[in-house]
């Protein structure tokens, strides 16, 4: 009897599908995409949505929860993002156990609905310079996506690229929070088996 094949170890990633209505054309929309360079490790020269790998140290850091609280974001606003269901894709499974009431008292964020949103917003900023965020006057969490101008944009993009945890530093300096509430789940999928590196994506 042959032994079952070992399942691939997918690297968890997130992408942003950013859509805007084409002004003057009520039925047309524009999509934000980028072309990967020939120096990238995967999907060379392909046109893709901005996104990339989840960074555990940066995106699962409980310092984000502390910052949201300091900023005035109600815990309930974050809880509304989290869906506890058995039929969720594996990429969205909680990365930890414990009582739901202890959600904000852990050493790292275990809710993928939050960490992958942070990944998506961070990668979108790093790759295309678009910062999806809200200031204190925009904490009504409406459907409109908010975008922030960033002084010294290219320098900050390099800082975040070299050290993803610098994204929190950027948000602190600009006095904004990542706009997790304007993102909506679109799909969860894995790269085809023939690719040299496997990625599991959550598109928002």
């Amino acid at each position: 009897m042959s032994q079952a094949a070992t399942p691939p170890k997918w690297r968890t990633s997130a992408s942003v599908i950013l859509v805007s209505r084409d002004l003057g054309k009520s039925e047309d929309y524009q999509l934000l995409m980028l072309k990967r360079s020939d120096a990238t490790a995967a999907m060379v020269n392909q046109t893709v949505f901005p996104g990339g790998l989840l960074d555990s140290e940066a995106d699962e850091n409980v310092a984000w929860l502390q910052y949201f609280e300091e900023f005035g974001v109600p815990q309930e606003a974050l809880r509304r993002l989290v869906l506890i269901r058995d039929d969720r894709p594996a990429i969205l499974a909680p990365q930890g156990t414990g009582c739901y009431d202890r959600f904000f008292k852990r050493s790292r964020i275990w809710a993928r609905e939050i960490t992958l949103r942070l990944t998506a917003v961070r990668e979108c900023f790093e790759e295309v310079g678009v910062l999806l965020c809200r200031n204190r006057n925009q904490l009504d969490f409406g459907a409109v996506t908010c975008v922030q101008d960033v002084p010294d944009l290219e320098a900050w993009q390099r800082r975040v690229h070299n050290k993803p945890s610098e994204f929190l530093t950027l948000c602190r300096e600009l006095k904004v929070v990542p706009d997790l509430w304007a993102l909506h789940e679109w799909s969860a999928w894995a790269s085809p088996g023939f690719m040299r590196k496997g990625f599991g994506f959550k598109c928002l």
Side-chain angles (χ1 to χ4, degrees), residues 8-117:
K9 295 181 179 179
W10 304 107
R11 302 198 298 168
T12 303
S13 306
S15 296
V16 172
I17 302 175
L18 193 57
V19 183
S20 67
R21 191 181 296 275
D22 194 349
L23 295 177
K25 299 179 181 179
S26 60
E27 297 181 358
D28 288 341
Y29 293 84
Q30 295 180 326
L31 290 174
L32 176 64
M33 303 188 78
L34 62 110
K35 185 175 181 181
R36 295 178 67 86
S37 75
D38 57 8
T40 54
M43 293 184 244
V44 176
N45 289 324
Q46 298 297 306
T47 301
V48 298
F49 297 112
L53 292 172
L54 178 144
D55 185 284
S56 296
E57 183 179 346
D59 303 325
E60 294 181 342
N61 194 328
V62 75
W64 276 111
L65 298 183
Q66 296 164 352
Y67 177 57
F68 282 127
E69 183 176 3
E70 295 166 9
F71 200 84
V73 176
Q75 288 187 5
E76 184 56 36
L78 288 170
R79 279 193 165 99
R80 284 200 302 268
L81 298 174
V82 181
L83 302 175
I84 307 297
R85 292 205 321 256
D86 292 336
D87 61 346
R88 305 283 279 151
I91 191 175
L92 296 174
Q95 302 305 295
T97 59
C99 177
Y100 184 62
D101 291 338
R102 295 173 58 202
F103 176 71
F104 291 92
K105 299 177 182 179
R106 304 186 65 83
S107 59
R108 68 187 180 95
I109 307 173
W110 62 263
R112 279 286 169 85
E113 294 91 344
I114 292 176
T115 59
L116 288 177
R117 280 175 166 83

Side-chain angles (χ1 to χ4, degrees), residues 12-13 25 37 46 58 63 93 134 138 142 148 152 166 179 190 196:
T12 303
S13 306
K25 299 179 181 179
S37 75
Q46 298 297 306
R134 292 178 182 267
Q138 298 166 328
Q148 171 78 32
D152 301 319
E166 284 291 279
D179 193 357
R196 186 165 58 88

Side-chain angles (χ1 to χ4, degrees), residues 128-150:
V128 295
V130 175
L131 179 56
L132 306 174
C133 63
R134 292 178 182 267
N135 60 37
R136 283 187 169 87
N137 296 324
Q138 298 166 328
L139 292 184
D140 55 353
F141 307 115
V144 177
T145 302
C146 303
V147 179
Q148 171 78 32
D149 290 331
V150 179

